[in-house]
Structures are given as C-alpha cells and as structure tokens.
Coordinates of all heavy atoms in Angstrom, one line a residue:
C25 N 10.0 173.8 19.9 CA 9.1 174.9 20.3 C 7.7 174.8 19.8 O 6.7 175.0 20.5 CB 9.7 176.3 19.9 SG 11.2 176.7 20.8
L26 N 7.6 174.3 18.5 CA 6.3 174.1 17.9 C 5.5 173.0 18.7 O 4.3 173.2 18.9 CB 6.4 173.6 16.5 CG 6.6 174.7 15.4 CD1 6.8 174.0 14.0 CD2 5.5 175.6 15.4
A27 N 6.2 172.0 19.1 CA 5.5 170.9 19.9 C 5.0 171.4 21.2 O 3.8 171.1 21.6 CB 6.5 169.8 20.2
T28 N 5.7 172.3 21.9 CA 5.2 172.9 23.1 C 4.0 173.7 22.9 O 3.0 173.6 23.6 CB 6.3 173.7 23.8 OG1 7.4 172.9 24.0 CG2 5.8 174.3 25.1
R29 N 4.0 174.6 21.9 CA 2.9 175.5 21.6 C 1.6 174.8 21.1 O 0.5 175.1 21.4 CB 3.3 176.6 20.6 CG 4.4 177.5 21.3 CD 5.2 178.3 20.2 NE 6.3 179.0 20.9 CZ 7.4 179.4 20.2 NH1 7.5 179.2 18.9 NH2 8.3 180.0 20.9
L30 N 1.9 173.8 20.2 CA 0.7 173.1 19.7 C 0.1 172.1 20.7 O -1.1 171.9 20.6 CB 1.2 172.2 18.4 CG 1.5 173.1 17.2 CD1 2.0 172.2 16.1 CD2 0.3 173.9 16.7
K31 N 0.9 171.7 21.7 CA 0.3 170.9 22.7 C -0.7 171.7 23.5 O -1.8 171.2 23.9 CB 1.4 170.3 23.6 CG 0.8 169.4 24.7 CD 1.9 168.8 25.6 CE 1.2 167.9 26.7 NZ 2.3 167.3 27.5
H32 N -0.4 172.9 23.8 CA -1.3 173.8 24.6 C -2.6 174.0 23.8 O -3.7 173.9 24.3 CB -0.6 175.1 24.9 CG -1.6 176.1 25.5 ND1 -2.1 177.1 24.8 CD2 -2.1 176.2 26.8 CE1 -2.9 177.8 25.6 NE2 -2.9 177.3 26.8
F33 N -2.4 174.3 22.5 CA -3.6 174.5 21.6 C -4.5 173.2 21.5 O -5.7 173.3 21.7 CB -3.1 174.9 20.2 CG -4.2 174.9 19.2 CD1 -5.2 175.9 19.2 CD2 -4.2 174.0 18.2 CE1 -6.2 175.9 18.3 CE2 -5.2 174.0 17.2 CZ -6.2 175.0 17.2
A34 N -3.8 172.1 21.3 CA -4.6 170.8 21.2 C -5.2 170.4 22.5 O -6.3 169.9 22.5 CB -3.7 169.7 20.7
T35 N -4.5 170.6 23.6 CA -5.1 170.3 24.9 C -6.4 171.1 25.2 O -7.4 170.5 25.7 CB -4.1 170.6 26.0 OG1 -2.9 169.8 25.8 CG2 -4.6 170.2 27.4
F36 N -6.4 172.3 24.8 CA -7.6 173.2 25.0 C -8.7 172.7 24.2 O -9.9 172.5 24.7 CB -7.2 174.6 24.7 CG -8.4 175.6 25.0 CD1 -8.4 176.2 26.2 CD2 -9.3 175.9 24.1 CE1 -9.5 177.1 26.5 CE2 -10.4 176.7 24.3 CZ -10.4 177.3 25.6
I37 N -8.5 172.5 22.9 CA -9.6 172.2 22.0 C -10.2 170.8 22.2 O -11.3 170.6 22.0 CB -9.3 172.5 20.5 CG1 -8.1 171.6 20.1 CG2 -8.9 174.0 20.3 CD1 -7.8 171.7 18.6
T38 N -9.3 169.9 22.5 CA -9.8 168.5 22.7 C -10.5 168.4 24.1 O -11.2 167.4 24.3 CB -8.6 167.5 22.7 OG1 -7.6 167.9 23.6 CG2 -8.1 167.4 21.2
A39 N -10.2 169.3 25.0 CA -11.0 169.3 26.2 C -12.5 169.7 25.9 O -13.4 169.2 26.7 CB -10.4 170.3 27.2
I40 N -12.7 170.4 24.9 CA -14.1 170.7 24.4 C -14.7 169.5 23.8 O -15.9 169.1 24.0 CB -14.1 171.9 23.5 CG1 -13.5 173.1 24.2 CG2 -15.5 172.2 22.9 CD1 -13.3 174.3 23.3
D41 N -13.9 168.8 22.9 CA -14.4 167.6 22.2 C -13.2 166.7 22.0 O -12.3 166.9 21.2 CB -15.0 168.0 20.8 CG -15.5 166.8 20.1 OD1 -15.4 165.6 20.6 OD2 -16.1 167.0 19.0
P42 N -13.1 165.6 22.8 CA -11.9 164.7 22.7 C -11.6 164.1 21.4 O -10.5 163.8 21.0 CB -12.2 163.6 23.8 CG -13.2 164.3 24.7 CD -14.0 165.2 23.9
E43 N -12.7 163.9 20.6 CA -12.5 163.2 19.3 C -12.4 164.2 18.1 O -12.5 163.8 17.0 CB -13.7 162.3 19.0 CG -13.8 161.1 20.1 CD -15.0 160.2 19.8 OE1 -15.7 160.5 18.8 OE2 -15.1 159.2 20.5
L44 N -12.1 165.4 18.5 CA -12.0 166.5 17.5 C -10.8 166.3 16.5 O -9.8 165.9 16.9 CB -11.9 167.8 18.2 CG -12.2 169.1 17.3 CD1 -13.6 169.2 16.9 CD2 -11.8 170.3 18.2
I45 N -11.0 166.6 15.2 CA -9.9 166.7 14.3 C -10.0 168.1 13.6 O -11.0 168.8 13.7 CB -10.0 165.6 13.2 CG1 -11.3 165.7 12.4 CG2 -9.9 164.2 13.8 CD1 -11.4 164.8 11.2
P46 N -8.9 168.6 13.0 CA -8.8 169.9 12.5 C -10.0 170.3 11.5 O -10.4 171.4 11.5 CB -7.5 170.0 11.8 CG -6.6 169.0 12.5 CD -7.6 167.9 12.9
S47 N -10.5 169.4 10.7 CA -11.5 169.7 9.8 C -12.8 170.0 10.5 O -13.7 170.6 9.9 CB -11.7 168.5 8.8 OG -12.1 167.3 9.5
E48 N -13.0 169.6 11.8 CA -14.2 169.9 12.5 C -14.1 171.2 13.4 O -15.1 171.5 14.1 CB -14.5 168.7 13.4 CG -14.8 167.4 12.6 CD -14.8 166.2 13.5 OE1 -14.4 166.3 14.7 OE2 -15.2 165.1 13.1
L49 N -13.0 171.9 13.3 CA -12.8 173.1 14.1 C -13.7 174.2 13.5 O -13.9 174.3 12.3 CB -11.4 173.6 14.0 CG -10.3 172.8 14.8 CD1 -8.9 173.2 14.5 CD2 -10.6 172.9 16.3
T50 N -14.3 175.0 14.4 CA -15.1 176.1 14.1 C -14.5 177.4 14.8 O -13.9 177.3 15.8 CB -16.5 176.0 14.4 OG1 -16.7 176.0 15.8 CG2 -17.1 174.7 13.8
R51 N -14.7 178.5 14.1 CA -14.2 179.7 14.7 C -14.9 180.0 16.0 O -14.2 180.4 17.0 CB -14.4 180.9 13.7 CG -14.1 182.3 14.2 CD -12.6 182.5 14.1 NE -12.3 183.9 14.7 CZ -11.2 184.4 14.7 NH1 -10.1 183.8 14.2 NH2 -11.0 185.6 15.2
C52 N -16.2 179.9 16.1 CA -16.9 180.3 17.3 C -16.8 179.3 18.4 O -16.6 179.8 19.6 CB -18.4 180.4 16.9 SG -19.5 180.8 18.2
D53 N -16.7 178.0 18.2 CA -16.7 177.0 19.2 C -15.3 176.7 19.8 O -15.2 176.2 20.9 CB -17.4 175.7 18.8 CG -18.9 176.0 18.5 OD1 -19.5 176.9 19.1 OD2 -19.4 175.2 17.6
H54 N -14.3 176.9 18.9 CA -13.0 176.4 19.4 C -11.9 177.5 19.3 O -11.2 177.7 20.3 CB -12.5 175.3 18.5 CG -13.5 174.2 18.4 ND1 -14.3 173.9 17.3 CD2 -13.8 173.2 19.3 CE1 -15.1 172.9 17.5 NE2 -14.8 172.4 18.7
I55 N -11.8 178.2 18.2 CA -10.7 179.2 18.0 C -10.8 180.4 18.9 O -9.9 180.7 19.7 CB -10.6 179.6 16.6 CG1 -10.4 178.4 15.6 CG2 -9.4 180.6 16.4 CD1 -9.2 177.5 16.0
E56 N -12.0 181.0 18.9 CA -12.2 182.2 19.7 C -12.1 181.9 21.2 O -11.5 182.7 22.0 CB -13.5 182.9 19.4 CG -13.4 183.5 18.0 CD -14.7 184.3 17.6 OE1 -15.6 184.3 18.4 OE2 -14.7 184.9 16.5
P57 N -12.7 180.8 21.7 CA -12.5 180.5 23.2 C -11.0 180.3 23.5 O -10.6 180.8 24.6 CB -13.3 179.3 23.4 CG -14.4 179.3 22.3 CD -13.7 180.0 21.2
W58 N -10.3 179.7 22.6 CA -8.8 179.5 22.9 C -8.1 180.9 22.9 O -7.3 181.1 23.8 CB -8.2 178.6 21.9 CG -6.7 178.4 22.1 CD1 -6.1 177.8 23.1 CD2 -5.7 178.8 21.2 NE1 -4.8 177.8 22.9 CE2 -4.5 178.4 21.7 CE3 -5.7 179.5 20.0 CZ2 -3.3 178.7 21.1 CZ3 -4.5 179.8 19.3 CH2 -3.3 179.4 19.9
L59 N -8.4 181.8 22.0 CA -7.8 183.1 21.9 C -8.1 183.9 23.2 O -7.2 184.5 23.7 CB -8.3 183.8 20.7 CG -7.8 183.3 19.3 CD1 -8.5 184.1 18.2 CD2 -6.3 183.4 19.2
V60 N -9.3 183.8 23.7 CA -9.7 184.5 24.9 C -9.0 184.0 26.1 O -8.7 184.7 27.0 CB -11.3 184.4 25.1 CG1 -11.7 185.0 26.4 CG2 -12.0 185.1 24.0
S61 N -8.6 182.7 26.1 CA -8.0 182.1 27.2 C -6.5 182.4 27.3 O -5.9 182.3 28.4 CB -8.1 180.5 27.2 OG -7.3 180.0 26.2
L62 N -5.9 182.8 26.2 CA -4.4 183.0 26.2 C -3.9 184.0 27.2 O -2.9 183.8 27.9 CB -4.0 183.4 24.8 CG -3.9 182.2 23.8 CD1 -3.5 182.7 22.4 CD2 -2.9 181.2 24.2
P63 N -4.6 185.2 27.3 CA -4.0 186.2 28.3 C -4.1 185.7 29.8 O -3.4 186.3 30.6 CB -5.0 187.4 28.1 CG -5.5 187.3 26.8 CD -5.7 185.8 26.6
H64 N -4.8 184.6 30.0 CA -4.9 184.1 31.4 C -4.2 182.8 31.6 O -4.3 182.1 32.6 CB -6.4 183.9 31.7 CG -7.3 185.1 31.4 ND1 -7.3 186.2 32.2 CD2 -8.2 185.3 30.4 CE1 -8.1 187.1 31.6 NE2 -8.7 186.5 30.6

C-alpha cells in the first residue's frame, strides 16, 4: 500500500522537476500543490 501511495506522490512532484530529491522539496513549490490536487 505504501508503494502505491508514494508512487502517486513521487509522480506528481517529479513532474514539476524530474531530477528532484527529497532534500530539495519545498512547502510552497511541491507539497502544497500536491495537497491541493488530492481532492481532484
């Protein structure tokens, strides 16, 4: 189940930046856009 959920998360954030790694994540550019996309 973790693999399924993390794939969705990783697919979204790497679509913004394909070479992204977790240390480069920001709240404004990655996390909040993903949270906003979840209800849709």
